[in-house]
Amino acid sequence: MEFITTPLSDIAPKVTEARRAFDDGRTKPYAWRVATLERLRDLLVEREDRFLDALAADFGKPRAEAWLTEIGFTVNDVNHTLAHLPLWMKPDKVATPVAFKPGKSYIVSEPVGVTCVIAPWNYPVQLLLVPVVAAIAAGNAVLAKPSELAPHTAAELVSLLDDLGDPAIASVQGGVAETTELLAQRFDHILYTGNSRVARIVMRAAAEHLTPVTLELGGKSPAIVSRNANIDVAAKRIAWGKFVNAGQTCIAPDYVLVERSVHDQLVRALGTSIESFYGSDPQASPDFTRIVNEPHFHRIEKLLHNGTVAIGGQSDPDTRYIAPTVLTGITKDDPVMGEEIFGPVLPVIAVDSLDEAIRFVNDGAAKGDKPLALYTFSESDDENDTVLANATSGGACVNGTLLHISNPALPFGGVGESGMGAYHGKFGFDTFSHQRSVHTRSTKIDPALMYPPYTPKKEKLLRKGMVMPDPRDVAAKARSYFHKP
Ligand code: NAD
């Protein structure tokens, strides 16, 4: 297909037009936000087939999986947002110190202005539209840039956003040159999803305008499997989380650390799960995705030569197929452990204890490589709690993979090298809002407490009056959490 890029000279005017729309107050009313979100959702549903075809053309994404992880995921996010938006927009009343009374205090979520969303190719629909939904919900204008590496889907996304016919919503299509021009413009917030090298470019460009950024990045997310885990279930959930989208998932379990006594059992169970998902020849399965492009194919193919291939290992450059693969006998120094794999290759590493697994993860974290996700598998709550308490990550799932990001009540974001800031649901709304504090005073009485001349009596009253009302029952409840027997 011919990939049409936005002329560089059109980019600044698009931002100017979006800013004009924002400054006119178009995007602030509740009614605009709801109508725009509904229209976006309805267009997406109407064009479902076009999107599913585009995703299949870009990287052979199976229709059911594409619906679940892209269309369904985004529609669900819009519906969740619409259901909660009045609550999120409503000013949030907070307590006021006695000395400031009569008066009241509240927090108002204000739109920040003109926002920019830059997305990658691996879940091209949801990673562009879910942040766009949050930006619209928060009352902003938005410039959206899909990834050029999923060109069919990018064309559909651009067409959908253009067909909203709203001057506050614009899209830019292209690669490095167009994104560089886009980043030269002044925005009020940028949400970038992709790799940490480009994240540094985005942050540098944002610094020029003191624009806040949310960076949704990747990294090596570990799965830790205890000898007390339900091995069959753990294997199935790890295999699903790893091989969905052929491992091209930012929160896919990148590698497994398993207690030595159950290592062989886990590897066997992974083999059983892979066969139950994709049959004995995954290349013939309609449910297994292909690698997005040749450079990624060759990068991942090289990793197949690390350690011992326990399962899979086949590849086909013509169709950019890499089999669901499990590697054993891997050491920390193997290339497969030196970078985020982002493909269907799963190293399984035996450890002598959960402590060793935690140390392994923390060695990376000490260098800033805090993972985006961490998975812990055990039937013992104590073991899972120990892993969670001693190894950090952006998000975590106990006895499961991936699903923590599908709950819109949970924030989705990284920490350290895996990113900063978060979105999804209310967290997206907050990300694209300025939390403005407002204190309203009554003029009926004007206590002289704060005004000079200061007297010992005034000071005494002020010291007492500055103390915030103590919500004792709430604090007591929280304290009891930390004093569990
Ligand atoms: P990509 O190549 O599609 O790039 C992402 C975006 O950055 C694209 O829109 C691209 O045009 C733009 N870009 C590329 N080079 C640029 C440059 N020099 N200057 C300005 N913009 C540029 O995708 P990718 O980065 O390969 O994505 C994969 C990475 O993203 C992985 O590390 C993965 O873990 C991470 N990821 C994170 C999340 C998350 O939500 N945390 C989700 C998906 C992917």
Side-chain angles (χ1 to χ4, degrees):
M1 73 169 291
E2 195 198 350
F3 185 66
I4 299 165
T5 57
T6 305
L8 292 181
S9 57
D10 284 3
I11 293 175
K14 276 177 184 265
V15 180
T16 306
E17 191 186 349
R19 190 164 292 285
R20 198 173 300 126
F22 178 78
D23 290 345
D24 286 349
R26 174 182 182 78
T27 61
K28 287 186 188 169
Y30 172 70
W32 178 84
R33 305 184 197 194
V34 169
T36 310
L37 291 175
E38 284 176 346
R39 173 118 179 89
L40 185 151
R41 177 198 58 198
D42 295 348
L43 270 182
L44 182 62
V45 171
E46 225 171 78
R47 297 179 185 184
E48 181 181 310
D49 276 336
R50 281 164 57 174
F51 273 98
L52 296 181
D53 288 347
L55 287 159
D58 281 332
F59 49 114
K61 209 166 156 65
R63 287 179 89 76
E65 196 174 294
W67 185 87
L68 182 73
T69 61
E70 293 276 64
I71 312 290
F73 192 99
T74 307
V75 168
N76 188 36
D77 187 79
V78 177
N79 289 339
H80 175 84
T81 301
L82 287 168
H84 293 82
L85 190 57
L87 207 61
W88 299 344
M89 286 178 69
K90 193 169 158 281
D92 193 8
K93 197 163 177 260
V94 295
T96 299
V98 177
F100 303 168
K101 292 196 170 174
K104 58 183 179 180
S105 309
Y106 49 95
I107 303 163
V108 184
S109 291
E110 284 193 340
V112 290
V114 182
T115 61
C116 176
V117 175
I118 302 172
W121 54 268
N122 62 327
Y123 290 88
V125 178
Q126 65 140 299
L127 293 175
L128 188 81
L129 292 186
V130 173
V132 165
V133 164
I136 294 170
N140 298 288
V142 56
L143 270 283
K145 217 249 5 129
S147 174
E148 71 281 17
L149 298 189
H152 296 85
T153 314
E156 286 300 335
L157 286 164
V158 164
S159 147
L160 182 144
L161 292 171
D162 287 352
D163 289 350
L164 289 176
D166 197 298
I169 298 167
S171 54
V172 166
Q173 208 173 353
V176 176
E178 291 73 18
T179 318
T180 305
E181 177 62 14
L182 186 64
L183 287 171
Q185 313 306 312
R186 183 171 72 78
F187 290 103
D188 299 292
H189 195 97
I190 300 172
L191 187 148
Y192 164 81
T193 304
N195 67 69
S196 58
R197 181 187 63 80
V198 175
R200 286 169 165 82
I201 297 173
V202 171
M203 204 166 172
R204 254 178 242 127
E208 281 304 308
H209 303 286
L210 279 185
T211 299
V213 290
T214 301
L215 301 176
E216 297 281 340
L217 314 178
K220 290 184 88 64
S221 297
I224 297 177
V225 182
S226 150
R227 64 180 189 281
N228 298 312
N230 179 330
I231 298 296
D232 288 342
V233 172
K236 196 178 268 180
R237 294 180 182 177
I238 290 171
W240 174 70
K242 179 70 182 191
F243 299 116
V244 76
N245 216 33
Q248 302 166 113
T249 304
C250 55
I251 49 165
D254 186 272
Y255 62 98
V256 177
L257 299 169
V258 55
E259 284 197 278
R260 201 172 297 281
S261 60
V262 290
H263 170 276
D264 294 354
Q265 190 190 347
L266 180 75
V267 171
R268 272 195 308 276
L270 284 166
T272 308
S273 298
I274 292 168
E275 189 163 347
S276 75
F277 294 162
Y278 307 113
S280 54
D281 176 14
Q283 191 166 11
S285 165
D287 296 328
F288 189 67
T289 305
R290 297 302 185 254
I291 304 305
V292 68
N293 58 23
E294 274 188 34
H296 275 291
F297 174 84
H298 292 303
R299 178 185 64 77
I300 300 164
E301 200 193 24
K302 278 198 201 120
L303 302 179
L304 295 173
H305 307 296
N306 287 218
T308 305
V309 173
I311 299 161
Q314 305 80 0
S315 62
D316 173 16
D318 291 342
T319 54
R320 300 194 308 272
Y321 166 77
I322 292 185
T325 297
V326 175
L327 300 176
T328 54
I330 295 293
T331 70
K332 229 177 192 176
D333 301 323
D334 284 317
V336 75
M337 293 308 292
E339 59 176 275
E340 179 182 1
I341 297 168
F342 220 57
V345 179
L346 182 67
V348 177
I349 300 171
V351 290
D352 288 323
S353 65
L354 290 185
D355 281 348
E356 187 187 336
I358 291 167
R359 273 198 306 279
F360 191 105
V361 176
N362 285 342
D363 278 354
K367 294 178 210 128
D369 276 345
K370 296 179 182 170
L372 182 58
L374 183 144
Y375 303 112
T376 167
F377 289 87
S378 175
E379 293 301 293
S380 152
D381 290 346
D382 282 350
E383 285 187 343
N384 288 324
D385 286 350
T386 301
V387 171
L388 290 182
N390 291 291
T392 191
S393 64
C397 198
V398 175
N399 287 323
T401 58
L402 311 190
L403 289 182
H404 60 294
I405 73 138
S406 301
N407 179 351
L410 291 173
F412 174 43
V415 55
E417 194 74 14
S418 60
M420 61 180 74
Y423 72 115
H424 281 190
K426 168 81 158 59
F427 302 93
F429 176 87
D430 288 345
T431 285
F432 286 105
S433 298
H434 164 59
Q435 278 80 38
R436 185 184 201 187
S437 28
V438 183
H439 176 59
T440 305
R441 307 217 63 201
S442 162
T443 54
K444 290 216 170 69
I445 53 169
D446 194 18
L449 215 54
M450 246 162 265
Y451 302 133
Y454 304 118
T455 62
K457 192 179 166 199
K458 275 191 189 173
E459 188 182 335
K460 200 171 155 199
L461 285 171
L462 261 181
R463 280 174 186 260
K464 270 198 173 160
M466 286 292 283
V467 175
M468 287 288 285
D470 178 9
R472 276 180 197 286
D473 49 336
V474 181
K477 240 189 202 169
R479 263 196 305 277
S480 71
Y481 176 84
F482 293 102
H483 292 297
K484 274 188 200 151

